[in-house]
């Protein structure tokens, strides 16, 4: 892709590199995404927030939360303040890896940095606790979300329903389903 651009006299820019990084990330190839990231820097281009968010997400999807954390920290070292998107991706990385306490640490840090969690952040934390079969904590997060005035999405409801279903709590799953229907 990049060679083809160069052959046609087009100098790849940040958008081009970010697109290629995203392509590798979406296809569960975080190492190739990292190679493009390094090439981008070698070409004198500075990675931006989109670059780092994509790499954090890539490592999360590949069940490599430590590498996702490294990218998160590198982002900060480069003077880029993580947004809600970066925090959500890191929370999700720990959720994917079955590390709910680390996911919760990131969630707390996000708030300490003055960033208000959105529905996706809450859903990712619910997923973290649900996967760890800590449904009481998942429900606490769901209730906190509502107290904060954040409207649960269909993903949030589905995540919580799945957590109860996987822990043989069909009555609680049905209760959440009924709440979802009431919400509309």
């Amino acid at each position: 892709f990049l060679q083809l651009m160069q052959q046609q006299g087009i100098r790849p820019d940040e958008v081009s590199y970010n697109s290629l990084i995203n392509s590798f990330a979406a296809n569960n190839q975080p190492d190739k995404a990292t190679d493009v990231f390094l090439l981008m820097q070698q070409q004198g281009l500075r990675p931006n927030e989109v670059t780092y968010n994509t790499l954090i997400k890539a490592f999360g999807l590949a069940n490599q939360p430590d590498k996702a954390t490294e990218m998160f920290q590198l982002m900060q070292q480069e003077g880029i303040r993580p947004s809600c998107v970066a925090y959500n991706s890191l929370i999700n990385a720990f959720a994917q890896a079955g590390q709910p306490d680390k996911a919760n640490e990131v969630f707390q840090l996000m708030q300490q940095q003055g960033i208000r969690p959105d529905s996706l952040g809450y859903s990712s934390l619910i997923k973290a606790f649900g996967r760890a079969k800590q449904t009481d904590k998942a429900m606490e997060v769901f209730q906190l979300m509502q107290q904060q005035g954040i409207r649960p999405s269909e993903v949030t409801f589905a995540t919580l329903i799945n957590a109860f279903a996987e822990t043989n709590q069909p009555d609680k799953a049905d209760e959440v389903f009924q709440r979802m229907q009431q919400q509309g």
Side-chain angles (χ1 to χ4, degrees):
F1 172 73
L2 295 175
Q3 289 175 345
L4 180 62
M5 288 181 73
Q6 289 171 337
Q7 288 172 357
Q8 295 185 5
I10 302 168
R11 185 172 188 269
D13 61 6
E14 290 88 350
V15 174
S16 306
Y17 280 96
N18 285 343
S19 295
L20 191 55
I21 289 169
N22 188 52
S23 176
F24 286 123
N27 287 287
N28 201 22
Q29 297 179 19
D31 292 333
K32 286 188 177 183
T34 303
D35 290 344
V36 175
F37 169 75
L38 295 172
L39 180 61
M40 176 184 190
Q41 292 174 308
Q42 289 170 0
Q43 296 300 316
L45 297 172
R46 188 168 184 253
N48 58 28
E49 183 180 354
V50 172
T51 313
Y52 286 106
N53 287 344
T54 304
L55 287 164
I56 294 165
K57 180 180 176 183
F59 285 116
L61 292 172
N63 202 20
Q64 298 179 32
D66 292 339
K67 287 191 176 184
T69 301
E70 286 176 26
M71 281 297 155
F72 186 85
Q73 292 169 340
L74 184 58
M75 175 187 208
Q76 292 174 305
Q77 290 169 6
E78 291 296 319
I80 300 171
R81 185 172 187 257
S83 66
C84 191
V85 173
Y87 281 101
N88 287 348
S89 294
L90 192 56
I91 292 166
N92 198 53
F94 286 116
Q96 290 282 116
Q99 298 180 29
D101 292 336
K102 293 243 182 176
N104 193 37
E105 284 177 27
V106 175
F107 187 82
Q108 298 303 321
L109 177 64
M110 176 181 181
Q111 293 176 85
Q112 290 168 6
Q113 296 299 317
I115 298 173
R116 186 172 187 244
D118 62 6
S119 180
L120 186 57
Y122 280 101
S123 294
S124 294
L125 188 56
I126 289 168
K127 178 169 82 173
F129 286 124
R131 285 190 167 190
K133 304 205 183 317
Q134 297 177 20
T135 54
D136 288 345
K137 287 187 178 179
M139 193 64 183
E140 285 176 23
V141 173
F142 180 75
Q143 291 168 341
L144 176 64
M145 175 184 193
Q146 291 181 310
Q147 289 169 2
Q148 296 298 318
I150 306 292
R151 184 179 170 93
S153 68
E154 289 178 14
V155 171
T156 309
F157 281 112
T159 302
L160 194 54
I161 289 168
N162 286 336
F164 286 125
E166 290 175 12
T167 55
N168 298 318
Q169 299 180 67
D171 292 341
K172 288 191 177 183
D174 185 53
E175 181 182 317
V176 173
F177 182 76
Q178 296 305 321
R179 276 194 194 181
M180 181 176 72
Q181 288 187 311
Q182 289 171 358
Q183 180 176 301

